[in-house]
Amino acid sequence: MPGSEPGGAPAAAAELRVGRRTHPLTGVVQGGLWAGAAVVGLGASFLQGDRWEGVPWWVAVLAVVGGGLVVGELAGLVSWWFTRFVVDDEELRIDSGVLTRRSRRAAFERIQSVDVAEPLLARVVGLAEVRVDLAGGDESRLVVRLLPLAEARDVRRLLLRRAHGAQGDGPDDALPDHDGGELITRVPPERTLLGALLSLDLLAAVAALVAILLAALGFGAPLVVLGGVLPALSWAAQVVARRVVAEWGFVLWRTPHGLRIERGLLSLTAQTIPYARVQGVAVVEPVLWRRLGWCRLEVDVAGRAGSDDGDLDTTLLPIADRALAAALVAELVQDAGPDDEVVTVRASRRSWPFAPVGWRFRSLSLGRRRASSTTGWLHRRTSHAPHAKVQSFALRQGPLQRLRDLATVELHTPDGPVDVDVHHVDAAQARGVVLRAVDVARDERAQTATVGSASAGRVLGAGVDGADEVP
């Protein structure tokens, strides 16, 4: 495989052009996951009363476990046998399917990022998967699973080289693991745990647990404890475990291609967020975190909506100090500076019936290069989006808003955690803000297009004139 021995990379690249299967243990690992699902399904059926008459319970349990394992492993091995991946000079292709063949293809120019992840079962046997994020489309991720970790990293390097226009296969041309990355920050495990314990989700679960216990004691209904306490405890445990396990050892790097994230306790995950795909950034400040000067950064990434990792794919930094958060926001969503003319509108005092407390904390600001909105008291969220990335604008008035001469302003960005809008502002102000936002966004997109065309012209000119450097 690439990089396994001197001179081995070209031969391995030639093998990838023809197509090859992944590691044989892929079928075992995938079969183990399916076997677990089969055992759970058969076990649930058994517990619901679907039992075999005259068969001892332990025989039935062995049959359920053994049958699930056999079915799952066979399915995994068959799926692995009929799956091949190809890396030629033009695209990455994954062919799969037994009865119905399926071929997923990704041209190199559509590749946005390539990452290596180590799911728990794969990590146990020293394997990893290569995740390829693409530009646009409903299915914007291809996964090559599973390869030995060193080979997965070599495939990642090869795909990145092809995505950036290089055709050589020599090991000397391979990209380093972090693409020349600069360490930005590490989140200590103790801060991750403390942040989870101080989250509003956990506080809500604890409040629900206390309410259930008080209701059970007050009404003398012990069955309420069994029916309510266990789900509340499970909810609380999931809140802490999910965040701690997923965000353990969180490291943020700055690379030439984007911000690179590494995280995970049981399963190790690495992902790269290209700068060009950042559509907006949200700063989240729960009320208890604000006392400690902490916040959470979430990001809108083009093509990431609806991914398998859910909201974890949108986490840029799980816990950050305000200074670091402000620096990252300024890097990803730039503004003109302190002398920039900023227009700010706030929710009208007439909107108090809609939000008796929250109306005081709603605002929208328009700078020259970005729009920002703030909402929330217990869970404050400040969203930033560059004008050039805003897709459309809306001014909405419901029947009750019209009675109080109010309106809602919305600046639409791709699906994700960033929502740049403000509810229940004065209707006349709302119309003025929308018109200004349209004008600013038009000017910003035109300036961005002009700068991009000039940069392309300089690159083409350098190539024609044979210059060594591009100015």
Side-chain angles (χ1 to χ4, degrees):
M1 287 302 297
S4 58
E5 59 185 17
E15 181 185 0
L16 293 181
R17 288 192 182 94
V18 177
R20 52 155 293 189
R21 297 184 182 90
T22 55
H23 196 278
L25 286 179
T26 301
V28 177
V29 173
Q30 187 65 50
L33 296 175
W34 291 345
V39 169
V40 171
L42 292 174
S45 176
F46 179 77
L47 293 176
Q48 291 173 1
D50 298 337
R51 307 180 184 182
W52 302 312
E53 295 294 337
V55 177
W57 67 269
W58 59 272
V59 175
V61 170
L62 289 178
V64 166
V65 175
L69 290 175
V70 170
V71 171
E73 290 298 337
L74 284 177
L77 290 172
V78 170
S79 175
W80 165 78
W81 182 261
F82 287 94
T83 300
R84 288 177 176 269
F85 74 101
V86 179
V87 182
D88 56 24
D89 293 331
E90 297 179 356
E91 64 182 7
L92 164 68
R93 186 173 78 250
I94 300 178
D95 299 327
S96 60
V98 182
L99 298 179
T100 302
R101 298 293 292 169
R102 184 187 189 194
S103 180
R104 295 197 61 193
R105 301 168 182 251
F108 294 134
E109 58 266 21
R110 290 187 58 212
I111 293 179
Q112 299 292 323
S113 64
V114 185
D115 303 308
V116 175
E118 300 175 64
L120 177 58
L121 291 181
R123 185 183 179 191
V124 170
V125 293
L127 301 180
E129 62 185 26
V130 181
R131 298 176 178 177
V132 183
D133 286 324
L134 310 175
D138 295 332
E139 298 181 355
S140 58
R141 171 173 288 180
L142 268 66
V143 180
V144 179
R145 60 168 71 93
L146 297 158
L147 298 170
L149 180 58
E151 296 178 4
R153 289 172 175 167
D154 287 339
V155 171
R156 172 181 178 266
R157 296 187 187 104
L158 177 61
L159 292 175
L160 284 175
R161 284 179 43 76
R162 297 290 173 81
H164 289 85
Q167 294 297 324
D169 300 321
D172 294 337
D173 297 328
L175 295 172
D177 287 343
H178 296 299
D179 304 338
E182 170 194 353
L183 177 64
I184 297 177
T185 185
R186 297 179 185 269
V187 180
E190 58 271 16
R191 178 177 285 197
T192 300
L193 179 59
L194 182 58
L197 294 176
L198 295 179
S199 67
L200 291 179
D201 292 339
L202 181 61
L203 293 180
V206 172
L209 178 61
V210 172
I212 292 170
L213 290 174
L214 292 177
L217 294 175
F219 293 98
L223 292 180
V224 174
V225 176
L226 296 177
V229 170
L230 293 180
L233 286 174
S234 175
W235 178 18
Q238 289 178 16
V239 168
V240 176
R242 184 171 185 269
R243 291 194 176 184
V244 171
V245 170
E247 297 171 357
W248 190 270
F250 197 101
V251 184
L252 183 64
W253 302 81
R254 181 185 291 107
T255 77
H257 307 297
L259 295 177
R260 181 170 175 81
I261 294 170
E262 298 175 357
R263 57 178 170 83
L265 177 61
L266 301 178
S267 298
L268 298 183
T269 302
Q271 67 182 97
T272 303
I273 301 178
Y275 298 116
R277 296 182 73 190
V278 174
Q279 308 296 303
V281 181
V283 182
V284 182
E285 301 175 273
V287 61
L288 295 180
W289 286 22
R290 293 203 295 270
R291 297 285 184 177
L292 301 173
W294 293 349
C295 60
R296 180 184 185 91
L297 290 185
E298 299 176 350
V299 62
D300 268 358
V301 182
R304 286 281 175 89
S307 65
D308 294 337
D309 289 339
D311 61 344
L312 293 177
D313 257 354
T314 67
T315 300
L316 179 62
L317 199 54
I319 302 178
D321 298 326
R322 290 194 179 101
L324 177 58
L328 286 173
V329 170
E331 179 179 350
L332 296 175
V333 188
Q334 298 180 359
D335 210 346
D339 298 332
D340 183 26
E341 179 183 355
V342 178
V343 175
T344 301
V345 293
R346 302 182 182 278
S348 172
R349 184 180 296 272
R350 299 192 303 274
S351 67
W352 71 265
F354 301 104
V357 177
W359 71 270
R360 300 175 181 271
F361 303 94
R362 293 176 175 174
S363 65
L364 174 67
S365 299
L366 297 179
R368 186 171 67 86
R369 302 191 64 180
R370 77 182 183 199
S372 305
S373 68
T374 301
T375 184
W377 170 52
L378 292 176
H379 194 73
R380 181 181 300 167
R381 177 180 292 270
T382 304
S383 297
H384 306 276
H387 291 299
K389 300 293 181 69
V390 176
Q391 297 180 340
S392 61
F393 308 86
L395 187 148
R396 303 185 185 277
Q397 273 188 303
L400 296 180
Q401 286 181 315
R402 287 197 294 271
L403 289 175
R404 303 190 68 85
D405 196 25
L406 302 173
T408 294
V409 177
E410 297 178 354
L411 280 64
H412 297 154
T413 57
D415 292 339
V418 177
D419 291 316
V420 183
D421 53 32
V422 59
H423 293 263
H424 312 311
V425 300
D426 181 81
Q429 286 186 327
R431 294 186 184 92
V433 166
V434 169
L435 294 176
R436 177 180 175 84
V438 170
D439 292 338
V440 173
R442 183 189 300 114
D443 294 342
E444 187 66 17
R445 280 193 290 268
Q447 182 178 356
T448 302
T450 301
V451 172
S453 299
S455 300
R458 288 196 297 270
V459 172
L460 291 175
V464 172
D465 297 336
D468 294 332
E469 297 182 359
V470 179

